[in-house]
Amino acid sequence: MGCPDETELSITIVGDRTIHRLNREYLGKDRPTNVISFSLQEGEFGDLTPHALGDVVISADTAAKEAQSGGWSGYERLIFLLLHGILHLTGYDHERSGEAEAVRMERKEQEIWKLLRKEGLTVLP
């Protein structure tokens, strides 16, 4: 991903009520979602903490529903959403940058997911 070894990020797991509030307040979407990323590398003060990528907030409630309906384990879904959130923090986007960028992000997700599976990091020990 091109991040230095000292790179940090914050991971918070919340319920649907909290992520709904965050989604409404910060993204203008009045509904719960599965994951939201808040970059510390963007904006006027993006250079203050060069090794802090930002925050990834995951809804355990939505992740559990998606896991059940998608045939994933809850752990796998949480790991995938964390991967998705980290990709957003490292500059990938699937919502605002057009179809080509969405495809690029999906390919990167698949590439990293395969590596995680190969290393046994997508299943509980």
Side-chain angles (χ1 to χ4, degrees):
M1 301 294 302
C3 298
D5 289 344
E6 303 83 23
T7 301
E8 301 173 5
L9 73 134
S10 167
I11 303 164
T12 306
I13 299 175
V14 299
D16 272 350
R17 193 169 73 203
T18 298
I19 209 157
H20 183 163
R21 182 178 50 79
L22 292 171
N23 204 18
R24 182 180 58 242
E25 288 179 18
Y26 292 99
L27 301 175
K29 298 176 182 177
D30 194 16
R31 65 180 186 275
T33 188
N34 52 17
V35 62
I36 300 175
S37 297
F38 297 100
S39 175
L40 291 175
Q41 300 298 304
E42 298 174 358
E44 182 179 352
F45 302 105
D47 59 346
L48 289 179
T49 54
H51 295 301
L53 281 179
D55 306 305
V56 177
V57 182
I58 301 170
S59 170
D61 296 332
T62 297
K65 292 174 206 167
E66 292 174 348
Q68 187 173 28
S69 67
W72 302 56
S73 74
Y75 179 79
E76 285 176 316
R77 189 63 185 153
L78 285 173
I79 295 300
F80 187 84
L81 292 172
L82 176 58
L83 166 60
H84 186 86
I86 292 170
L87 285 175
H88 276 296
L89 293 178
T90 57
Y92 287 83
D93 179 55
H94 60 91
E95 295 178 321
R96 298 178 301 243
S97 299
E99 183 64 27
E101 181 62 18
V103 169
R104 185 172 89 87
M105 183 174 183
E106 185 176 331
R107 285 184 181 145
K108 183 55 92 170
E109 274 178 340
Q110 292 171 0
E111 173 190 336
I112 295 172
W113 187 252
K114 286 178 186 174
L115 289 172
L116 292 172
R117 287 192 85 105
K118 181 179 177 186
E119 294 297 322
L121 298 173
T122 62
V123 293
L124 289 171

